[in-house]
Amino acid sequence: MATQSLLDEIQQLLDSELCESALQLAELECKPRLHDPRVPIPERLALLRTYSRCHSSLNQHSASLHAITEFVSGPTRAQLASEDLEQIVRDISDARWALGEHDLCLAQLRQIPRRHRTVRDVARMARCAALVHSSDARDLYEELLVRQPNATEAYEYVHARGAGAPFDGSTRHDVASITMARTMMRRLEYKAAASELQRLARRHRSNAHVVALHATCLFMLDDVRQSRILYERARALDAMLVHEMGAYSALLMQENDAHAVYALGSQLLRTDQTRPEGWVAMARFLAMTGQTQEALALVWKAQALAPLCAAAYCAEGGIQLLCECPEEAAKMFAKAHELEPTAQTYRGLISAHVQNGEHKFAYSYAKQLVELMPQNARALAAVGSVLAHSAESHAKAVRLLESALSVDPRCTDAVIALASLHVTNNRLSDAVSLLEKHLVDNETDDMYTRYADVLTLANELPKAAANYAVALEMNPSNERAKAGHERVDRLMHPSTESDDGEQGQELEPSDMSDDDML
């Protein structure tokens, strides 16, 4: 078989994911020709790369490395041009990288003269140097920035070590701005990050990625209205945008807008089914409609597509909470938190540990959150909500929740937790007044249901029935509202002795507990 025909045949097998068949053919046809002096050097190099690629496709990187080093160690080496040797060095470094031998990978790439190094070579060297804590890691990243000004990873490394960026110019400055904003977001410094992104957006009004990143900052700061406007603006600027859409689907779910979550997920999947964001959005839609097992299947698919996608693990954490599996939820939120700490992962961890009865762990995370975001109403509410589970801490919890409401009178988390405390302490009129006031700015089926629950406890049954009806009109699948409406109806119209006996029953204060969070 002619060399080119053989290479085409093997490539077709690799493209068809028939990797074992490709390797078998390469073993039979490529390997014998590698050391045949009658085969021209260019053909033998092409055969070597194809043979090596077959091994790599099956993650047999050691075998790939052995084939390359055996080829270059023989008499063939003297016949190779300098550019051929440099390419072989790169092939060996790729195998070393895949094997996790970062020090050897770095040593291999150092053999390439500086003037012949590509941007990819410098980027690989810089990563290896950073991983093995080499003293010239910063120098390599600075060299990478000179060659590729938009290398955000390089700027992050240099900036994190207190060194100024070794460049000038508007494009490079914009990369620095995005890098700084992302660094601030990882520290939960969302206000500073939002200000930085707002300045950047003035220079790049049509940049959808910058607008979406700004929207995520505002979402984490609980400015849901403005955040949603910016997300929609970003999507209008770029209909193919997928970045930050995991956070947007979380916002829409928080708003209980199932139709919008479905529309977003459908569009994202039409755009790119290999990205996790669309599957995450559809999983959240299924969870909102009670199809939790189907939702888990989709979110697992998202994780398989992108094992480092924090949004996929965060979404699973929320779904596991809906399935009343707080231990699994805590694991998923912890994984998301490890990948990308956000206010959302903190709240998820707090909610999971509370649901699992691990109030000590919940308080630890709540305390960390309020230290990072001291003026944030939801952070203050998180601490108050955890303390509310201990009778000895009720007074302190009330103070924190009232502080949260003084920062943001519309903070739903604080309202729910404080109303729950009022119910626990038998201050039903205070709970009714608080929820009634909050309903003006937060007309959701969940809030109407909670309001109706308290009205039931206060024995205002007709008013409770009317509010359950409003909740069901807004969301016919609200099971809690259905059960509450039926119970009030039985209390108002007892038809049997057993129904009469129900009049003495009351809702448990735990019914007023915090929402599970996705």
Side-chain angles (χ1 to χ4, degrees):
M1 186 184 294
T3 299
Q4 190 56 51
S5 299
L6 173 61
L7 296 175
D8 291 342
E9 185 72 19
I10 293 174
Q11 188 59 50
Q12 188 177 54
L13 288 170
L14 290 173
D15 292 341
S16 303
E17 298 183 357
L18 298 170
C19 302
E20 291 185 0
S21 301
L23 180 58
Q24 289 173 6
L25 182 57
E27 290 276 6
L28 289 171
E29 298 289 343
C30 293
K31 191 175 180 180
R33 302 187 196 190
L34 290 178
H35 301 287
D36 187 345
R38 294 170 297 177
V39 180
I41 288 294
E43 288 188 20
R44 288 158 72 183
L45 287 169
L47 289 165
L48 174 66
R49 292 195 185 101
T50 298
Y51 182 45
S52 173
R53 197 181 306 124
C54 290
H55 279 299
S56 298
S57 68
L58 293 168
N59 292 322
Q60 298 176 3
H61 303 295
S62 294
S64 173
L65 180 62
H66 176 73
I68 300 169
T69 53
E70 184 183 29
F71 176 82
V72 79
S73 299
T76 308
R77 185 184 183 92
Q79 304 175 47
L80 297 174
S82 59
E83 57 268 23
D84 294 330
L85 285 170
E86 287 175 8
Q87 186 55 50
I88 285 174
V89 165
R90 292 185 179 98
D91 293 339
I92 292 174
S93 73
D94 286 344
R96 298 284 189 197
W97 174 266
L99 289 167
E101 299 172 351
H102 302 122
D103 51 345
L104 296 176
C105 177
L106 177 60
Q108 202 73 44
L109 289 169
R110 288 193 198 281
Q111 298 178 30
I112 301 175
R114 185 183 294 270
R115 65 182 181 279
H116 292 167
R117 290 173 188 168
T118 64
V119 172
R120 182 178 183 274
D121 295 336
V122 178
R124 176 65 59 82
M125 290 177 73
R127 288 195 186 109
C128 288
L131 287 167
V132 300
H133 306 291
S134 176
S135 59
D136 63 343
R138 199 181 100 188
D139 293 338
L140 287 166
Y141 270 121
E142 288 181 351
E143 182 182 345
L144 177 58
L145 276 171
V146 171
R147 289 168 173 256
Q148 175 47 266
N150 293 312
T152 306
E153 175 188 327
Y155 185 87
E156 286 180 348
Y157 187 91
V158 175
H159 178 72
R161 280 145 188 82
F167 47 68
D168 295 307
S170 60
T171 301
R172 298 176 174 87
H173 177 70
D174 292 344
V175 173
S177 293
I178 292 177
T179 303
M180 287 175 63
R182 285 194 173 278
T183 302
M184 292 170 186
M185 289 174 72
R186 287 190 68 85
R187 296 173 184 162
L188 275 65
E189 298 171 359
Y190 294 116
K191 284 188 178 180
S195 298
E196 187 68 31
L197 289 165
Q198 193 170 25
R199 283 193 293 271
L200 185 61
R202 293 193 191 103
R203 296 196 297 274
H204 300 278
R205 296 183 182 278
S206 60
N207 189 308
H209 182 65
V210 172
V211 175
L213 207 56
H214 188 198
T216 298
C217 280
L218 295 181
F219 173 42
M220 295 301 165
L221 289 168
D222 306 313
D223 189 350
V224 175
R225 180 178 172 277
Q226 186 61 29
S227 176
R228 187 166 182 174
I229 290 171
L230 288 179
Y231 277 128
E232 286 302 320
R233 181 183 165 200
R235 294 179 69 210
L237 289 169
D238 182 1
M240 308 293 283
L241 180 71
V242 292
H243 291 289
E244 304 303 320
M245 291 299 104
Y248 188 29
S249 65
L251 179 150
L252 293 173
M253 186 173 189
Q254 181 179 305
E255 290 285 279
N256 203 28
D257 193 341
H259 176 75
V261 176
Y262 177 79
L264 175 64
S266 298
Q267 183 176 346
L268 291 172
L269 289 176
R270 285 195 299 270
T271 300
D272 190 351
Q273 292 191 16
T274 65
R275 291 290 300 262
E277 290 85 354
W279 299 107
V280 167
M282 293 306 293
R284 284 183 163 133
F285 167 73
L286 291 173
M288 293 174 76
T289 55
Q291 303 173 70
T292 52
Q293 294 307 309
E294 293 84 352
L296 285 171
L298 291 191
V299 87
W300 290 335
K301 182 179 180 68
Q303 292 167 10
L305 288 170
L308 300 180
C309 176
Y313 296 101
C314 201
E316 184 183 347
I319 296 167
Q320 294 287 8
L321 281 178
L322 291 176
C323 296
E324 297 184 355
C325 299
E327 193 171 340
E328 285 301 314
K331 290 178 184 177
M332 291 303 104
F333 282 123
K335 176 69 173 175
H337 191 72
E338 180 184 349
L339 291 168
E340 185 180 353
T342 65
Q344 194 178 11
T345 60
Y346 270 107
R347 288 193 286 262
L349 283 164
I350 294 163
S351 185
H353 285 302
V354 165
Q355 191 169 317
N356 204 32
E358 299 170 334
H359 298 122
K360 185 177 179 180
F361 289 117
Y363 180 72
S364 175
Y365 282 113
K367 190 176 178 182
Q368 290 177 41
L369 179 59
V370 84
E371 286 172 356
L372 291 166
M373 304 176 69
Q375 297 302 316
N376 183 266
R378 289 190 75 182
L380 291 166
V383 180
S385 299
V386 176
L387 291 174
H389 288 84
S390 170
E392 295 80 8
S393 304
H394 277 189
K396 189 175 180 181
V398 169
R399 287 197 300 273
L400 280 165
L401 294 168
E402 288 176 346
S403 296
L405 289 173
S406 67
V407 173
D408 180 7
R410 295 182 297 177
C411 178
T412 302
D413 290 0
V415 169
I416 291 171
L418 188 55
S420 176
L421 267 176
H422 288 330
V423 169
T424 302
N425 295 325
N426 205 28
R427 295 169 58 185
L428 297 178
S429 59
D430 290 341
V432 169
S433 299
L434 180 63
L435 290 169
E436 202 169 59
K437 181 180 177 182
H438 189 66
L439 265 174
V440 175
D441 296 314
N442 189 34
E443 292 191 86
T444 65
D445 65 291
D446 180 67
M447 287 309 300
Y448 273 107
T449 303
R450 292 178 183 278
Y451 182 44
D453 286 344
V454 179
L455 289 171
T456 304
L457 288 169
N459 206 31
E460 297 185 37
L461 300 183
K463 198 172 179 181
N467 281 279
Y468 281 130
V470 173
L472 288 169
E473 186 178 343
M474 297 175 76
N475 180 12
S477 62
N478 186 329
E479 294 299 326
R480 181 171 165 179
K482 285 180 185 177
H485 193 274
E486 290 171 2
R487 183 172 183 279
V488 168
D489 188 60
R490 288 196 301 271
L491 291 170
M492 291 172 64
H493 308 98
S495 56
T496 66
E497 288 185 8
S498 60
D499 287 337
D500 287 334
E502 288 187 1
Q503 291 189 41
Q505 298 178 9
E506 293 185 351
L507 291 179
E508 294 293 329
S510 59
D511 288 339
M512 295 295 296
S513 60
D514 294 331
D515 275 333
D516 292 341
M517 286 175 280
L518 275 181

